[in-house]
Amino acid sequence: MRQRSLGGSIFDISNLIFMVGLIVVMFYPFIYVFSYSFSEPGKLTGGMLVLPHGFNLDAYQAIFQQRALLHGIFVSVARTIIGPIVMIMITSMAAYVLTRDELGGVKLIRKFFVFTMYFSSGLIPMYLVIKSAGLIGTFWVYIIPASVSVFNMILIKTYIESVPKSLEEAALIDGANDFELYWKVIFPICMPVTAAVVLFTAVEQWNSFIDTQIYNVMNPEYHTLQYLLYQTVSGAASLEQAKMGKAASLSVTPESIKMAITIITVLPIVLVYPLLQKHFTKGLLIGSIKG
């Protein structure tokens, strides 16, 4: 067996120490927030926190008694389900159209889509367009503007171009029209890249709060959980939290409420992402290589 040199061993040990340190730095904020949310505020003395000091669920109990937060969870779940479905239907059909070279002007349309990736219209023109469309103060402001993603379109288009043309010709000979060709032949074949872009969009929809702040700040009915978390962390809801903590129990503080909301916001992604991560990586890799 080949023996490692002294320099190689020192490099391996240094690399191991660096990686362990990096893991600790990345995971400690999650551990701190998790432990704080379950700790009894009276036993917290500041400094490092790894394990909960005591065990207290009053913060979570106080949160789930708040109708606004429960409604925020419902809005976030709804946009996380509906948004990716609408996006994949429109974006994948547009990607399929872009692969049809026989269509007039398709090359110019491709360049137009790519242009929009580098140059955006800006916040104010975007706001005016959405306002003119009547989407301000509605749930659909989360769905319709995000229904077309040029980045996802290019990934799907690249994948479709890898499908043998003979397959499409066989379907056309069997009497399929263009929509049937897309829906019954192309769309099922694109499942790997479809799963990747759907997961990507779902995570984006779940984590988004800026659009709520811009378009729905005056309509509490459509405040998302992430926007409520933003308000909590920024301190805008401190007074309300203090009242909530006082009403619920002396063992609940505004800080413990912040930590508990953070855990509720992050937990679904933490649980789902490891299960779907292999599909996410595989789909993006296939979509980027086969072109």
Side-chain angles (χ1 to χ4, degrees):
M1 176 183 283
R2 183 181 176 184
Q3 291 184 342
R4 294 281 292 170
S5 64
L6 178 61
S9 299
I10 293 175
F11 174 78
D12 289 343
I13 295 173
S14 301
N15 195 25
L16 178 63
I17 294 174
F18 174 76
M19 294 304 297
V20 171
L22 188 63
I23 291 173
V24 171
V25 169
M26 294 177 65
F27 274 90
Y28 180 70
F30 294 99
I31 296 173
Y32 180 87
V33 172
F34 180 82
S35 299
Y36 199 113
S37 68
F38 285 100
S39 297
E40 297 179 14
K43 296 184 178 180
L44 293 171
T45 57
M48 297 285 289
L49 180 61
V50 178
L51 296 176
H53 291 186
F55 185 75
N56 178 21
L57 293 175
D58 289 352
Y60 290 92
Q61 185 179 0
I63 289 172
F64 286 109
Q65 288 176 347
Q66 296 301 306
R67 184 181 177 279
L69 288 171
L70 292 176
H71 190 72
I73 294 175
F74 173 76
V75 174
S76 291
V77 170
R79 68 178 293 180
T80 303
I81 295 174
I82 298 174
I85 293 174
V86 174
M87 185 282 303
I88 196 61
M89 296 307 299
I90 296 177
T91 300
S92 64
M93 283 193 285
Y96 174 62
V97 171
L98 292 183
T99 63
R100 307 299 295 267
D101 292 333
E102 66 271 21
L103 296 177
V106 69
K107 292 183 179 178
L108 180 62
I109 296 175
R110 289 176 194 159
K111 293 178 181 178
F112 172 76
F113 278 122
V114 174
F115 178 83
T116 62
M117 293 181 67
Y118 295 98
F119 302 96
S120 66
S121 61
L123 179 59
I124 294 177
M126 184 71 177
Y127 180 87
L128 294 176
V129 169
I130 291 178
K131 183 179 180 181
S132 300
L135 296 176
I136 299 293
T138 69
F139 174 77
W140 296 105
V141 75
Y142 302 137
I143 307 300
I144 294 178
S147 60
V148 176
S149 167
V150 177
F151 177 75
N152 293 340
M153 187 189 302
I154 292 175
L155 281 178
I156 299 172
K157 168 185 167 293
T158 305
Y159 189 91
I160 294 175
E161 288 174 340
S162 69
V163 176
K165 291 295 181 183
S166 57
L167 195 61
E168 298 183 28
E169 293 170 357
L172 292 173
I173 292 174
D174 288 341
N177 56 38
D178 287 334
F179 182 77
E180 290 173 335
L181 177 60
Y182 160 76
W183 184 246
K184 295 182 178 179
V185 178
I186 300 299
F187 187 73
I189 291 176
C190 294
M191 276 303 158
V193 71
T194 297
V197 298
V198 165
L199 176 61
F200 189 79
T201 306
V203 173
E204 185 178 3
Q205 286 279 8
W206 176 261
N207 289 330
S208 181
F209 68 93
I210 294 295
D211 47 7
T212 305
Q213 188 178 18
I214 296 174
Y215 305 119
N216 273 337
V217 68
M218 300 301 292
N219 193 349
E221 185 179 357
Y222 299 117
H223 284 182
T224 62
L225 179 63
Q226 284 68 25
Y227 178 70
L228 296 174
L229 171 65
Y230 165 75
Q231 282 189 312
T232 303
V233 174
S234 65
S238 295
L239 180 59
E240 190 65 27
Q241 291 162 6
K243 293 177 179 177
M244 181 170 60
K246 185 177 179 179
S249 169
L250 294 176
S251 60
V252 178
T253 65
E255 201 65 25
S256 65
I257 293 292
K258 292 179 184 178
M259 301 301 176
I261 294 178
T262 304
I263 291 297
I264 294 172
T265 304
V266 172
L267 192 60
I269 300 299
V270 172
L271 294 177
V272 171
Y273 196 81
L275 301 176
L276 301 177
Q277 191 267 345
K278 62 179 182 180
H279 302 290
F280 181 76
T281 304
K282 182 180 177 183
L284 287 181
L285 190 63
I286 293 174
S288 59
I289 288 179
K290 287 193 173 179

